[in-house]
């Protein structure tokens, strides 16, 4: 399936992914603005149906998501989890929307009783350090979305298309015409691969 990054709040207001009983965070009074309600809904939006994700504080999400594939390598659509070292804070979760060739990521987020929607970037070199609460939050890992794959390697095609769009300068939905980029991931060679704009 083609992955469409969410970089704005367009279409969120009133959407069933965030405003229905299918999202238990919303149903129990912990709706937006709230990182867990947002991540629960965004994960469902990507896959087209709700999943039985954790519903407690974000600090516990990674450990609680035992029914999901998890790991330390980013993937599109995955939930990135941070926990509180001190236990004095609720942790944070966000959704990976973009990954560059260095493993740096752009995430979509919401913040409890604060910002309805925002994007934030985190670097692989920093260990995806987020800096919240003066460094109390630490990176736990990613909960992978079964609709998009379990590692950044599985999103090679999507990253190629994103890279191609940067250089071609044309937005829209793109798809592969040929395959074979799994080995090497050399973007220079990749540009000879034909792509077709679908919208």
């Amino acid at each position: 399936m083609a992955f469409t990054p969410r970089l704005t709040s367009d279409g969120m207001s009133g959407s069933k992914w965030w405003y229905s009983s299918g999202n238990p965070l919303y149903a129990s009074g912990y709706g937006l603005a709230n990182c867990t309600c947002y991540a629960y809904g965004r994960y469902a939006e990507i896959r087209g149906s709700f999943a039985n994700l954790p519903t407690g504080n974000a600090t516990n999400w990674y450990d609680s998501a035992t029914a999901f594939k998890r790991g330390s390598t980013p993937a599109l659509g995955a939930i990135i989890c941070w926990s509180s070292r001190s236990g004095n804070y609720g942790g944070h979760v966000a959704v990976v929307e973009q990954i560059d060739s260095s493993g740096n990521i752009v995430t979509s987020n919401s913040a409890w009783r604060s910002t309805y929607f925002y994007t934030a970037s985190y670097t692989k070199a920093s260990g995806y350090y987020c800096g919240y609460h003066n460094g109390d939050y630490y990176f736990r890992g990613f909960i992978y979305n079964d609709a998009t794959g379990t590692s950044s390697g599985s999103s090679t095609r999507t990253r190629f298309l994103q890279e191609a769009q940067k250089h071609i300068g044309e937005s829209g939905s793109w798809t592969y015409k040929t395959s074979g980029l799994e080995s090497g991931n050399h973007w220079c060679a990749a540009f000879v691969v034909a792509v077709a704009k679908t919208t």
Side-chain angles (χ1 to χ4, degrees):
M1 82 177 260
F3 180 82
T4 302
R6 174 171 282 285
L7 302 176
T8 73
S9 62
D10 292 351
M12 285 178 55
S13 180
S15 167
K16 68 178 180 179
W17 306 123
W18 295 279
Y19 296 93
S20 75
S21 60
N23 188 321
L25 283 306
Y26 170 79
S28 62
Y30 293 95
L32 299 173
N34 179 6
C35 70
T36 52
C37 178
Y38 174 76
Y40 202 103
R42 176 60 178 142
Y43 190 97
E45 180 185 39
I46 292 165
R47 71 196 297 268
S49 61
F50 288 104
N52 191 27
L53 288 162
T55 56
N57 283 341
T59 197
N60 299 318
W61 269 42
Y62 189 79
D63 287 338
S64 299
T66 55
F68 297 82
K69 291 183 179 179
R70 297 169 294 172
S72 59
T73 302
L76 294 175
I79 297 173
I80 182 171
C81 305
W82 291 275
S83 293
S84 169
R85 295 180 194 283
S86 66
N88 294 330
Y89 303 100
H92 186 63
V93 288
V95 179
V96 178
E97 303 292 350
Q98 295 177 328
I99 309 168
D100 72 16
S101 58
S102 298
N104 304 321
I105 62 175
V106 176
T107 63
S108 60
N109 306 251
S110 183
W112 171 242
R113 293 182 176 176
S114 180
T115 307
Y116 182 81
F117 177 90
Y118 66 99
T119 60
S121 299
Y122 304 100
T123 64
K124 180 180 179 180
S126 73
Y128 303 110
Y129 174 77
C130 68
Y132 298 160
H133 296 290
N134 296 316
D136 185 70
Y137 283 9
Y138 66 102
F139 169 65
R140 292 303 312 280
F142 298 94
I143 301 170
Y144 297 122
N145 195 311
D146 54 12
T148 58
T150 58
S151 72
S152 59
S154 65
S155 61
T156 298
R157 291 180 177 84
T158 301
R159 289 190 293 122
F160 160 71
L161 296 174
Q162 290 172 343
E163 197 70 18
Q165 284 176 311
K166 287 183 202 173
H167 294 274
I168 295 169
E170 188 173 352
S171 62
S173 180
W174 293 70
T175 57
Y176 262 109
K177 295 288 282 185
T178 62
S179 60
L181 287 181
E182 306 308 329
S183 299
N185 299 334
H186 298 297
W187 300 122
C188 290
F191 286 122
V192 303
V193 177
V195 293
K197 190 168 184 288
T198 59
T199 60

